[in-house]
Amino acid sequence: MTRSVVEDVWPLSPLQEGLLFHAAFDDQGPDVYQGQRMLELVGPLDVDRLRRTWEALLARHGALRASFRGRKSGEAVQVIAREAALPWRLVDVSGLTEHEALAETDRLATGERSRRFDPAVAPLLRLLLVRLGDRRHRLVVTSHHVVMDGWSMAVLFNELPAVYAEGGHTRSLPRVTSYREYLAWLNRQDKEAARDAWRAELSGADEPTLVAPADPGRTPITPESLITHISEELTEGLAQVSRSHGITVNTVIQGAWALVLARLAGRTDVVFGATAAGRPAELSGVESMIGLFINTLPVRVRLDGAQPVSEMLAALQSRQAALMAHQHLGLPAIQKLAGPGSVFDTIVVYENYPRPPEREPAPGMFAIRFLGGEEAAHYPLTLVVAPEGDRMGFKLDHRPDLFDRAAARSVVERLIRVLEQVVADPSVPVGRVDVAGAAERSLVVAEWNATRQPVTADSVPELIARQAGRTPDGVAIVDGERSMSYRELQSASERLALHLTAVGVNRGDRVAVAMERSADLIVALLAVWRAGAAFVPVDVEYPAERVAFLLEDSAPVAVVCTRHTSRFVPDHAAGGRRVVIDDADTASAFAPAGRPAAHVADHTTGRLAVAIGADDVAYVMYTSGSSGVPKGVVVPHGAVAGLVGLAGGAGVSGWSVGVGDAVLMHA
C-alpha cells in the first residue's frame, strides 16, 4: 500500500494482538473470531441509499478501514486506508416460498461467515442484503472481531437510520473521536502499577484452572451454541439480590460460574476469563467510538465452604473494583508475570453495552429488528449472558469435540441451579450450595458408588505379598523392556525396607520420595510401606521453593532419591538423611530393581517387615489449598487397598497400576 492511499498507521491493542495470533494459527480452518449480525428491515427500502449509508459509515470510522501488517522489525501494526471499497452483495429470493426463502437466507449467511477475511486487506467487513419481498429484507453484517466489539456494532446500528435519512450522508452526526485516541490513552497508562496489581491478585495461584485437557496445538473448530432463557421470576430475583447487597448482577453471575467451575475443574481456587468493556470514562467521546476496546482478563475466586455466598460475592466485587484501573493490561502480559495459575479455558461475557433503542420508523423509513448474531471464542466453554429483557438469556458456546450437547446442557443446568439457590438464600454457606441435580446426585452417590465388596487385606503390601506367594515367578512390574517378577519385587522391597529401618525409619514416620517414575520408584514406595512408614511424594520438577516447603512441612525422617534427583533436594532436608538407591554406598544393602540378588529366595514368604493396619497412614499428598498454600492430605492404607480394588479373595483380577512408564501388573 503506497503512502498516498494510507491515512494513518496505528499500534495494536493487547486483544488485537491476541486475535491476530489466533487468526494466523490455522489459516485454513475456521476463524472463530469472525462474527455476524442479522437484521430484519421491514418497510420501504432504497437499496442504493442503504449501500451509500454503509459506505458513509465506513468512511466515518477509520477503525473499519484497518488492515493488519507486520513491519520488518516483526512488530504488527494496523494500516488505515484513506478509502476502502465496501464489499456489498444483493441477493433476491422473493420468488421462493417463505420456507425456501428463509432457508436460503440462512445458507447464504453461513457461507458469508465461513469465508475467511484476509487481515492484510481492508475492510474486514462485508454486507449481504437479501430481498424477501418489496418491503421485507434481511441485512447480514459479517465482520472480524479485531476491528470492532459488540458495543461498536451497537453504535453503528444506532447511526444507521440517521445516515440513511440524510440520503447516505453523515453531516447530521456529531464529530467522531478516532480509535487512535484510545490507543494513545493505552500508551499513557502506568504499566508497572498494573503489573503489580495483577501479580498481587494472582499470587499463590500456581495451577491452571482447566475443564478440558491442555493442548496448545489444538486446532480451531467452530463451536456449537446452547441458548437458554431463565424464568422471569429468577431474572427479577437476581436483580433484587444485587440491589439488596450492593453488588452487580454481573458479580452474581461470575460468583455462580465460579461455583460451577469449581466442580468441573475439581478446585476451590478457580480462575476464569471475563471481558471488560475497556472504555475509559475520562476519554471524551469514548461511548460513540468504533474499535476493539474490550479486554479478556482473569477473574480469581477463592472458595471457602463456610463463607456465606453473599460475603463471597461482596469480596469478589471489591477485588474487581480495585482492579478496574488496571484493566488495560493485556492478558499475555498478565499470564507471563503471574505464571500457570493465571491460565484458564473458560470465559464469561456479560453483554452490558447499550442497545439501539426500539422506535417507530419515520415516514418513508424501514423498521429495524435485530434477529440475532453469531460470535464465538476459541475457549472450550464460553458463557455469554444477555441481561436485557424480562428473561435473562444465556448462551453457552462449546467445542463439540470436547463437550457434546448433553454435557453442555448439564453445565447450563448447574449454573441455573446455583443461581436459584443464591436467590432463595444469599446467606447460604458456599459449601452448602448444591451444584448437582437429583438425577446427577443419584448417579454419583448410588450407581457409581455401588462398589461394596469384601476387602480381605488391610494394605497393598499385604495383597502383593499374597500374590507373590501364589505366583512368585509371575510378572509384577513392566517398565519398558524391563520386567520384575513378584519374587524379585518382594526381595528388593524387603531389603530396602530393612535398610530404611537401619538408617532410622520407624513405624509411623514419614519418608519423602523424590524419584522419577520407574520400576525403582514402585520398589521404593513398597519398601517405605514395609518399613511401617508413610511416603510423601515430591515432584522434583516443581519450583525449588515448593520442593523446600513440602520437605519442611511434612518433616520426613529420610529422603529416598536417586543420584539424579538428589541435587534437587535441599541439603538440610530430613536432617541430611537421604537414601540414594543407585549410589554405591547403598548398593550393598539394596540391589536395584531387576538386578539378581544372592538371597532372593529368603524373602518370598510375604511377611511384612513391620505390621501395618488399615488405619495406618499410607501417604501424604500435597495439593493446592484454598489460600494458595499447599496442604497435605493424609490417606490411610485401608483406603488405598479399597481404591485399587485388590480384594484377594473377592475374585478381582487383571488389574494394573501405572507409574509413568512402569506398570505394576496383576494377572
Side-chain angles (χ1 to χ4, degrees):
M1 186 179 293
T2 63
R3 290 182 179 273
S4 61
V5 297
V6 173
E7 179 179 289
D8 210 346
V9 177
W10 301 342
L12 304 184
S13 71
L15 189 56
Q16 283 180 316
E17 293 178 349
L19 297 190
L20 286 177
F21 168 80
H22 287 288
F25 181 78
D26 180 5
D27 58 5
Q28 300 301 314
D31 188 341
V32 297
Y33 288 101
Q34 283 189 191
Q36 191 173 82
R37 301 288 197 284
M38 184 179 291
L39 305 178
E40 184 175 47
L41 312 181
V42 180
L45 177 66
D46 183 330
V47 173
D48 291 336
R49 186 198 284 190
L50 182 63
R51 181 171 183 171
R52 291 196 305 272
T53 296
W54 278 97
E55 289 173 340
L57 292 171
L58 182 61
R60 173 176 166 82
H61 299 286
L64 298 181
R65 290 177 271 115
S67 60
F68 298 84
R69 302 174 181 230
R71 287 177 165 166
K72 291 181 180 179
S73 63
E75 175 192 17
V77 295
Q78 45 189 325
V79 179
I80 311 304
R82 292 188 184 278
E83 296 180 353
L86 176 70
W88 176 273
R89 185 181 176 198
L90 174 64
V91 177
D92 190 340
V93 298
S94 59
L96 302 176
T97 66
E98 177 75 4
H99 177 75
E100 292 172 338
L102 295 179
E104 178 64 9
T105 300
D106 290 341
R107 188 191 68 80
L108 291 168
T110 300
E112 286 293 309
R113 190 176 182 215
S114 63
R115 186 159 52 92
R116 293 178 63 111
F117 287 107
D118 180 351
V121 179
L124 304 186
L125 165 75
R126 54 176 173 259
L127 289 101
L128 166 69
L129 182 64
V130 182
R131 183 175 183 269
L132 300 173
D134 289 340
R135 298 173 62 87
R136 290 182 59 218
H137 294 78
R138 290 200 174 178
L139 181 64
V140 180
V141 182
T142 306
S143 61
H144 200 289
H145 202 27
V146 75
V147 296
M148 61 177 167
D149 50 26
W151 186 311
S152 299
M153 188 69 77
V155 171
L156 275 182
F157 291 159
N158 193 48
E159 292 181 347
L160 174 63
V163 179
Y164 182 87
E166 289 287 338
H169 297 285
T170 59
R171 53 193 169 217
S172 65
L173 298 179
R175 177 184 174 274
V176 68
T177 305
S178 171
Y179 183 61
R180 181 189 181 101
E181 296 301 315
Y182 166 72
L183 296 173
W185 175 89
L186 269 181
N187 189 54
R188 295 193 299 269
Q189 301 313 296
D190 188 340
K191 304 294 192 302
E192 191 56 40
R195 282 191 282 266
D196 290 342
W198 283 108
R199 189 181 291 111
E201 171 65 12
L202 296 164
S203 175
D206 53 5
E207 296 179 9
T209 304
L210 304 177
V211 299
D215 182 5
R218 185 178 288 134
T219 58
I221 185 173
T222 301
E224 295 181 359
S225 298
L226 184 66
I227 299 175
T228 302
H229 287 83
I230 62 176
S231 67
E232 294 183 15
E233 293 77 14
L234 182 54
T235 301
E236 176 58 27
L238 291 172
Q240 289 179 358
V241 167
S242 65
R243 286 194 299 266
S244 61
H245 289 82
I247 56 179
T248 65
V249 175
N250 186 19
T251 296
V252 180
I253 299 297
Q254 289 187 351
W257 182 253
L259 290 169
V260 174
L261 182 58
R263 301 298 174 90
L264 294 176
R267 295 173 55 82
T268 57
D269 185 354
V270 297
V271 176
F272 56 90
T275 56
R279 293 180 181 249
E282 65 267 28
L283 186 57
S284 178
V286 71
E287 70 282 349
S288 60
M289 292 167 63
I290 299 292
L292 183 63
F293 294 84
I294 65 170
N295 198 8
T296 301
L297 298 166
V299 176
R300 184 183 186 185
V301 183
R302 283 166 279 197
L303 299 170
D304 179 350
Q307 184 182 37
V309 169
S310 57
E311 292 184 11
M312 179 267 287
L313 295 175
L316 171 60
Q317 179 156 305
S318 177
R319 293 198 311 276
Q320 292 292 292
L323 288 168
M324 284 187 66
H326 311 294
Q327 290 180 343
H328 56 83
L329 198 63
L331 181 60
I334 294 173
Q335 293 182 331
K336 181 178 180 180
L337 64 91
S342 61
V343 175
F344 52 82
D345 65 356
T346 69
I347 65 169
V348 176
V349 180
Y350 190 82
E351 294 187 335
N352 59 347
Y353 50 79
R355 305 283 178 173
E358 293 187 5
R359 54 198 171 196
E360 287 295 321
M365 278 287 295
F366 51 83
I368 300 177
R369 188 163 70 94
F370 180 68
L371 296 180
E374 295 287 343
E375 278 193 316
H378 69 280
Y379 297 97
L381 292 178
T382 298
L383 177 68
V384 182
V385 184
E388 80 285 352
D390 296 332
R391 300 180 62 194
M392 182 180 294
F394 293 96
K395 180 168 75 81
L396 185 68
D397 293 332
H398 57 99
R399 285 186 59 123
D401 57 332
L402 299 175
F403 294 88
D404 60 22
R405 195 161 187 83
R409 185 172 297 281
S410 73
V411 172
V412 175
E413 290 173 348
R414 290 182 180 193
L415 177 63
I416 294 174
R417 190 176 303 115
V418 169
L419 291 172
E420 290 172 340
Q421 293 171 79
V422 172
V423 167
D425 182 8
S427 66
V428 63
V430 167
R432 295 280 300 277
V433 177
D434 190 359
V435 176
E440 185 178 5
R441 177 170 293 280
S442 175
L443 177 65
V444 174
V445 175
E447 295 184 38
W448 288 355
N449 201 38
T451 56
R452 180 176 297 177
Q453 62 178 9
V455 177
T456 59
D458 289 335
S459 67
V460 173
E462 184 179 348
L463 291 166
I464 292 177
R466 293 181 183 181
Q467 185 66 28
R470 289 192 294 266
T471 58
D473 296 319
V475 176
I477 300 177
V478 175
D479 182 5
E481 296 183 357
R482 296 176 57 192
S483 66
M484 291 184 68
S485 67
Y486 279 99
R487 187 195 309 270
E488 292 168 330
L489 174 60
Q490 283 293 92
S491 174
S493 62
E494 183 165 317
R495 282 181 288 141
L496 180 55
L498 293 173
H499 181 66
L500 291 174
T501 301
V503 299
V505 176
N506 295 308
R507 187 176 188 275
D509 286 338
R510 289 181 291 277
V511 175
V513 179
M515 294 175 58
E516 294 174 326
R517 299 186 176 192
S518 64
D520 288 342
L521 174 58
I522 295 177
V523 173
L525 299 181
L526 186 57
V528 172
W529 282 343
R530 293 172 69 85
F535 69 79
V536 181
V538 178
D539 190 338
V540 295
E541 293 185 359
Y542 281 156
E545 296 80 6
R546 176 160 179 153
V547 170
F549 173 85
L550 297 185
L551 291 171
E552 180 178 356
D553 189 69
S554 61
V557 300
V559 177
V560 177
C561 56
T562 64
R563 282 179 293 183
H564 172 69
T565 60
S566 177
R567 56 183 174 173
F568 300 106
V569 178
D571 293 339
H572 63 276
R577 183 184 296 156
R578 65 183 64 190
V579 176
V580 184
I581 65 170
D582 55 352
D583 189 82
D585 293 339
T586 311
S588 59
F590 166 59
R595 181 182 300 174
H599 54 297
V600 166
D602 297 333
H603 301 278
T604 58
T605 62
R607 176 176 46 83
L608 300 182
V610 177
I612 53 178
D615 294 331
D616 287 320
V617 178
Y619 63 87
V620 180
M621 178 66 71
Y622 276 80
T623 62
S624 295
S626 58
S627 65
V629 178
K631 295 181 179 179
V633 178
V634 175
V635 181
H637 275 282
V640 178
L643 177 65
V644 176
L646 309 184
V652 178
S653 62
W655 51 266
S656 64
V657 179
V659 183
D661 294 328
V663 181
L664 178 60
M665 307 296 294
H666 182 316

